[in-house]
Amino acid sequence: MDYEFLLTWFLDILKVVGSVLFVVFFFGMCIFVHELGHFLAARWRGLHIDAFSIGFKKIWGKTINGVEYRIGCLPLGGYVELPQVDSATETPHAADGTELPRAKPIDRLITAAAGPIFNIIFGLLLGCVVWMVGIPQDTPKMRVLEVGIVDEKSPEYAAGLRQGDKIVKLNGKTFHLAWKDFVVEILTTIGEVELEVERDGKHFTVKYLPAVNPNHMAVEKTAYPFFLPRIPIELHPDKDSPAAQAGIKAGDQLLSLNGMACENFAVLQSYINYYGDKPLYLEMRRKDSNEIYTAEVQPVDLPDELDFMTVYYTGVSLAPDLTIMGLLKDFPAAGSGLLPGDKIIKLNGEAVNTFQEFSDKIQENKSHPFELTVRRFNTEVNIKLTSKAVRPRTIGVEFMLRDYPNPLQQFFGLVELTAKSIRSMGTRLAYNLGWTDQQSNLSARNMSGPVGMAVVLYRSVQLSPAMGLYFVVMISFALAIFNLLPLPVLDGGHVFMALIEIVFRRPLPVIVIKILSYLFVGLLILLMLYVTYMDVLRVLPKSAKPAAESSVPAGKAAP
């Protein structure tokens, strides 16, 4: 019996189940807290409450003091029935048909606003936890962004942006942003993007109109930048770690490892695993003095008694048809007699036809010697070979950068992003209708509904529980902001109607409210159907990548 396979399968199942439970619980909590706010405010203001339910699809209920408390079998939040809050009804009625007095506008306002307010409070409380533990970041926050790659067919390149340029201002302003936040600023820009660039000590401006990038966010058809930054890799050694003992200090920047450039933290970790059986030579730049120095670091193996994370590599880089494209330095294949251009056809006498077959056989064989048959020109050549065990290793530095935004920063950050997004989408709609010449990058295609939010929450918690919790905070805030929009069918609509009645001392005609309500209910249903359709398109499985993309040394791609 393959116990390693069973253990892997069991741990994968646990991870999936745990992530699903996290999504169901916290997604439901955001809705439950919202409805709890309505319920408590209605009790405070003396409004009639027909029912308060935890979950949907009632399986149990009990009436206490005129309120039916219910429990549903679907744990997706809850709901509260408040007939007196509905402004579209001239004479509200209880569930049993009893006529109820019309609620005062101030009572309706407080009750309607309490749901979003409770979502904000809930988000701020969870935001305190996020503030303490931090959230993973893809890059450090940068004040200067160096261009690492730029597509020569892109509008950025046509406008004059080149590899090695240093971007010092975005749309006329200095910045201190991680790459993902820099991208958001570009996506929410209306009209041309303006980059102030430094090249050879001279400053000049690059202006361009963003275009849809088919290689990123293809479903949304978003103008993702056609350039990527060169990310500085800062190391922060743990106390008494191999990196600290080698003289590396917190904030020192990595320039190369064994003479090889590391584009990001994932590549750095891969190289540590690949070559960490021997001392590594890290070229570093000192944070304070910019001094260049070399640190000799001996990585240590991480516990892996069952070879759960150990991968076996011969060190060949393969094309989709199993033609050898290259040989990795310091791996068995490099001194075995294999040559670039050889095509692998057999392993231990058994035919191999695909990259996956070859990879699986290498993993099964582990470090035992084997015979590889290749076709070289028109001749079959047999090569004796072994694989190198690539174990998980560490030099004792923090790779996962973290940000520690306080709860108010989290809230106002989302408010600002929401405002920019609505403005950008409104401009896009006006442009499509011919009302303006200004263009923007966002449209309704970029919106997400419950399906999309649940998927992102699931992926976030699999990356990191802290990241999952941070996204719960964003969902709670987003639920509050969305419901405060002054539309008749939302809480903000009830607040708006109540304010009109308070100011003018008379309510809007019921017929007007009904017409507006039906209109916006229809529009909201259409919008939800559309964003759900877009959410489904985003999560549909994509075709498998060709093996050629896996020929770089990362993961199990180059066995």
Side-chain angles (χ1 to χ4, degrees):
M1 183 177 293
D2 191 340
Y3 292 103
E4 182 179 343
F5 170 79
L6 289 176
L7 178 60
T8 304
W9 175 83
F10 179 70
L11 292 177
D12 286 344
I13 291 296
L14 280 182
K15 186 176 181 180
V16 170
V17 171
S19 299
V20 170
L21 291 177
F22 183 97
V23 171
V24 171
F25 177 77
F26 279 106
F27 207 80
M29 277 297 294
C30 290
I31 300 172
F32 171 75
V33 166
H34 182 94
E35 298 301 327
L36 181 63
H38 291 318
F39 173 77
L40 294 177
R43 289 294 299 268
W44 173 41
R45 305 306 296 181
L47 300 186
H48 178 81
I49 305 171
D50 279 331
F52 178 69
S53 177
I54 299 175
F56 293 86
K57 298 290 288 184
K58 172 184 169 183
I59 57 174
W60 177 87
K62 185 174 182 178
T63 302
I64 303 174
N65 296 328
V67 180
E68 183 183 12
Y69 295 90
R70 302 170 182 169
I71 294 178
C73 60
L74 296 178
L76 298 174
Y79 59 90
V80 57
E81 295 178 358
L82 300 168
Q84 290 171 291
V85 175
D86 187 4
S87 301
T89 303
E90 191 166 354
T91 304
H93 292 81
D96 60 4
T98 303
E99 187 174 307
L100 299 171
R102 186 177 176 83
K104 295 178 182 179
I106 187 63
D107 295 334
R108 300 203 311 274
L109 186 153
I110 291 173
T111 303
I117 290 172
F118 265 54
N119 274 131
I120 293 172
I121 294 172
F122 180 61
L124 291 174
L125 292 174
L126 285 183
C128 291
V129 180
V130 173
W131 185 21
M132 288 187 291
V133 301
I135 52 175
Q137 295 290 290
D138 58 339
T139 70
K141 290 186 176 181
M142 298 170 282
R143 299 185 187 277
V144 175
L145 191 149
E146 183 178 349
V147 178
I149 301 172
V150 57
D151 190 333
E152 294 185 2
K153 298 179 180 179
S154 67
E156 290 95 325
Y157 190 90
L161 190 68
R162 297 293 184 268
Q163 183 178 3
D165 286 351
K166 295 180 179 179
I167 300 172
V168 296
K169 287 185 180 180
L170 171 61
N171 294 331
K173 298 179 181 179
T174 58
F175 55 86
H176 186 214
L177 301 170
W179 170 242
K180 62 179 179 60
D181 299 318
F182 189 91
V183 171
V184 169
E185 288 295 321
I186 290 177
L187 295 181
T188 54
T189 296
I190 293 175
E192 287 186 322
V193 172
E194 182 179 315
L195 306 176
E196 183 175 325
V197 173
E198 178 186 341
R199 183 191 301 163
D200 299 329
K202 298 180 181 179
H203 287 245
F204 60 94
T205 300
V206 172
K207 289 185 178 181
Y208 69 95
L209 193 64
V212 172
N213 188 337
N215 299 318
H216 290 271
M217 304 169 71
V219 172
E220 293 88 344
K221 296 184 178 179
T222 300
Y224 193 93
F226 282 86
F227 65 93
L228 294 174
R230 181 175 288 121
I231 304 300
I233 299 180
E234 294 182 357
L235 303 185
H236 295 264
D238 299 328
K239 184 179 179 182
D240 298 327
S241 66
Q245 292 172 5
I248 297 174
K249 296 182 179 180
D252 287 359
Q253 184 179 337
L254 175 71
L255 302 179
S256 67
L257 183 152
N258 288 359
M260 299 176 292
C262 299
E263 292 82 7
N264 52 53
F265 287 101
V267 172
L268 172 58
Q269 182 60 65
S270 296
Y271 285 166
I272 291 173
N273 291 346
Y274 292 162
Y275 305 111
D277 54 334
K278 298 177 182 178
L280 302 176
Y281 297 92
L282 277 60
E283 185 183 10
M284 306 291 302
R285 176 183 287 122
R286 185 73 72 191
K287 178 181 180 181
D288 300 327
S289 63
N290 285 329
E291 172 197 355
I292 306 297
Y293 69 95
T294 300
E296 181 180 335
V297 185
Q298 176 59 65
V300 295
D301 290 355
L302 293 172
D304 190 28
E305 290 80 3
L306 297 177
D307 278 356
F308 178 60
M309 295 181 288
T310 298
V311 186
Y312 294 87
Y313 289 84
T314 60
V316 292
S317 178
L318 298 175
D321 64 351
L322 298 186
T323 296
I324 297 175
M325 305 297 293
L327 305 173
L328 299 183
K329 179 183 177 183
D330 294 333
F331 276 79
S336 65
L338 289 172
L339 298 174
D342 290 350
K343 181 177 180 179
I344 297 172
I345 56 176
K346 295 178 184 178
L347 194 153
N348 283 341
E350 296 182 7
V352 285
N353 301 305
T354 67
F355 179 89
Q356 194 60 51
E357 285 182 11
F358 179 67
S359 178
D360 290 343
K361 287 182 181 295
I362 294 297
Q363 304 314 311
E364 292 170 6
N365 193 69
K366 297 188 175 181
S367 293
H368 301 298
F370 62 91
E371 185 175 74
L372 199 62
T373 303
V374 299
R375 180 176 292 116
R376 182 176 297 166
F377 301 111
N378 294 320
T379 306
E380 291 188 3
V381 179
N382 295 319
I383 304 289
K384 297 291 185 181
L385 199 60
T386 59
S387 299
K388 176 180 176 179
V390 173
R391 304 190 182 280
R393 297 182 171 98
T394 182
I395 60 173
V397 296
E398 181 66 35
F399 285 166
M400 185 67 78
L401 298 171
R402 290 185 177 273
D403 190 21
Y404 297 86
N406 66 50
L408 291 178
Q409 287 175 322
Q410 297 170 48
F411 175 66
F412 287 112
L414 184 66
V415 171
E416 182 182 8
L417 176 60
T418 302
K420 288 180 178 179
S421 300
I422 291 175
R423 180 170 173 262
S424 185
M425 286 189 286
T427 303
R428 178 71 169 267
L429 178 62
Y431 177 81
N432 291 337
L433 294 174
W435 296 348
T436 180
D437 293 331
Q438 287 189 310
Q439 297 186 40
S440 68
N441 306 314
L442 297 183
S443 67
R445 298 180 67 93
N446 303 107
M447 298 178 68
S448 278
V451 172
M453 289 189 289
V455 169
V456 174
L457 179 56
Y458 173 83
R459 291 173 178 170
S460 298
V461 73
Q462 288 212 317
L463 172 67
S464 156
M467 198 67 188
L469 201 60
Y470 172 72
F471 198 73
V472 172
V473 173
M474 294 299 103
I475 289 175
S476 190
F477 287 155
L479 189 60
I481 294 170
F482 177 74
N483 273 280
L484 284 174
L485 294 176
L487 304 179
V489 294
L490 302 176
D491 294 331
H494 293 304
V495 171
F496 183 67
M497 300 294 181
L499 283 173
I500 289 178
E501 189 171 343
I502 291 172
V503 172
F504 295 101
R505 299 185 180 278
R506 65 178 63 184
L508 285 174
V510 172
I511 186 64
V512 173
I513 297 176
K514 282 187 176 180
I515 292 173
L516 290 174
S517 297
Y518 291 146
L519 173 63
F520 279 98
V521 164
L523 291 175
L524 189 60
I525 290 174
L526 289 176
L527 178 62
M528 292 304 296
L529 289 174
Y530 180 73
V531 298
T532 300
Y533 168 72
M534 296 303 301
D535 287 339
V536 172
L537 284 185
R538 292 186 190 103
V539 300
L540 284 176
K542 299 176 181 178
S543 58
K545 293 182 179 180
E549 295 184 14
S550 299
S551 61
V552 291
K556 298 183 180 181

